[in-house]
Amino acid sequence: MSVTNEISPDTPTAWWRDAAIYQVYIRSFADGNGDGIGDLAGVRAHLPYLADLGIDAIWFCPWYPSPMDDGGYDVSDFRDIEPTFGTLAEAELLIAEAHELGIRIIIDIVPNHASDEHPWFKAALAAGPGSPERERFWFRPGRGENGELPPNDWQSRFGGPAWTRVADGEWFLHLYSSRQPDFNWTSPEVHAEFIDILKFWFDRGIDGFRIDVADGLIKDPALPDVNGLTVGPLPFSDMDGVHEVYRAWRKISDSYPGERIFVGEMWLPDPIRFARYLRPDEMHSAFNFDFLSCPWEAKRLREVIQSSMDSHSLVGAPPTWVLSNHDVTRHVTRYGRSGDTGFEFADRRHGTPVDRDLGTRRARAAALLTMALPGGVYVYQGEELGLWEIEDIPDELRQDPVFERTKHADPGRDGCRVPIPWGGTKPPFSFGTGGTWLPQPQDWAAYTAEAEAADPDSMLSLYRKALHIRRDEPALGDGEMSWVVSLADVVAFSRDPGFTCMVNLSAEPVPLPRHESIILASGPLQGDHLPPDTAVWLRTF
Ligand code: GLC
């Protein structure tokens, strides 16, 4: 495969075409100063763990100063580090230390909105209606006799109206929480500001950006009602003008030495529209949410894999394979649910019975599946330990604004953000020396990195082996695949030279195809049969 683990900024390697990228949600990763909240010191202390794991890059969720209304996706200063996480100087050290270990650094950028504590928003509030300061956001008078109704019917993705009224009577737009005012990208100042922010961080050595809500920047300036529509052409998602933004950004990344990249977050229903963001002069790659959302069913998985390969090949971009992140129910839980094992925001199926052993077996198989497919792969912190969704967080401890804004109808995303268990036998499991900002379950004693490192059959050992094999195996990473004719409930494909991946999603053991040797399996085999919910990598002739 083309990825080397040496960072040589002057030699292009197309490292991003098949990188294994580990997502760090800083507040929950590791706490270096004992305040119960993860921080950069905690990350620095665990860099050797990540190097051993065999990843190529880290993607950091937002590390900027933030009131943390939305876990840092409410940014008040795009050119500094959140004080509870550390300092800018520490971030620079971290970047250098990671590079020393051959790990690249990708950081989140949040161009759709700011925090209500961002100086521009404060200035807009102070300057009043009609001011140039308000032009950087979407301020509008209300409807109704006295402007008491929102300017249109758009709903926040976190529940409730997408508009909030300020003291002077105007309303401002926020597609997320009322503490996240949307930037107005018709303003040249907004464009210029973000170009400058990109340079600020590229100058500090980062290797790329993950672009938050990448499809959402451009709004139809007429702000038309959507009359309840949630899919299809929407006046705040996937508007054609958004591509100009990324073309301008690509020129910036290309002007830096090495290969600096953009990874887009777009939840779009149409794979062809999605691929437009990955044209050669726009982003390098994007998260494959169709794959993430797909239930554990062979036919559906084959379809989504094929459609991902097809849409990406239209533009020559590598697909990515994603199982979990900080917004979705952890996949051990999803795959163990009775009934539907897919994911959708509209219904997290919170509290549906879960067979965790089954979910874990499937998660192990899914890991081998994703790491064998052509393209890049993402690992969300804790998935390598086999952590599951914590569904019984007491209501009064829930922090995600989704919980309140949906009037508790949606539990929100705290259950996948519980601090990582590193070692020891009781909470905080060496997360830090203080407590943890969300409670950890006692059952995690057997799932700490320390306990799993000592167990050759643990999820951690499987991830380590698989990631290292993936890096060294010429057939894996970027490239092509071909389906292997197989039973209806089996997903099997081969890659050149001499590699086959087979996943059994049926209820019965299935015979292995002819092979030279077994490279790795997600669980014990039954002689020459692959048991249900198990994946195998085979060396073929
Ligand atoms: C993205 C992030 C999510 C955040 C939202 C608003 O979807 O992944 O965590 O709440 O954008 O910034």
Side-chain angles (χ1 to χ4, degrees), residues 257-315:
E259 290 172 272
R260 317 286 180 110
I261 65 150
F262 295 109
V263 182
E265 185 215 22
M266 297 88 73
W267 289 83
L268 294 176
D270 177 350
I272 308 288
R273 298 278 311 176
F274 176 92
R276 287 157 48 99
Y277 291 76
L278 304 178
R279 289 176 288 194
D281 58 347
E282 298 193 38
M283 298 174 192
H284 299 73
S285 73
F287 300 99
N288 187 343
F289 294 126
D290 289 344
F291 181 80
L292 179 151
S293 309
C294 185
W296 187 249
E297 289 167 28
K299 180 167 178 290
R300 302 273 294 274
L301 279 170
R302 274 197 303 268
E303 281 165 4
V304 83
I305 291 168
Q306 188 60 55
S307 101
S308 307
M309 296 297 298
D310 291 347
S311 59
H312 285 75
S313 75
L314 287 177
V315 288

Side-chain angles (χ1 to χ4, degrees), residues 69-115:
D69 181 56
D70 182 19
Y73 284 92
D74 46 323
V75 178
S76 51
D77 179 356
F78 286 91
R79 294 183 186 78
D80 206 347
I81 295 290
E82 159 61 26
T84 54
F85 292 167
T87 62
L88 188 54
E90 224 176 336
E92 288 173 1
L93 277 176
L94 191 162
I95 296 166
E97 289 164 355
H99 283 172
E100 278 286 300
L101 291 168
I103 297 174
R104 290 184 162 85
I105 301 291
I106 294 170
I107 62 172
D108 230 300
I109 188 152
V110 190
N112 183 66
H113 46 263
S115 156

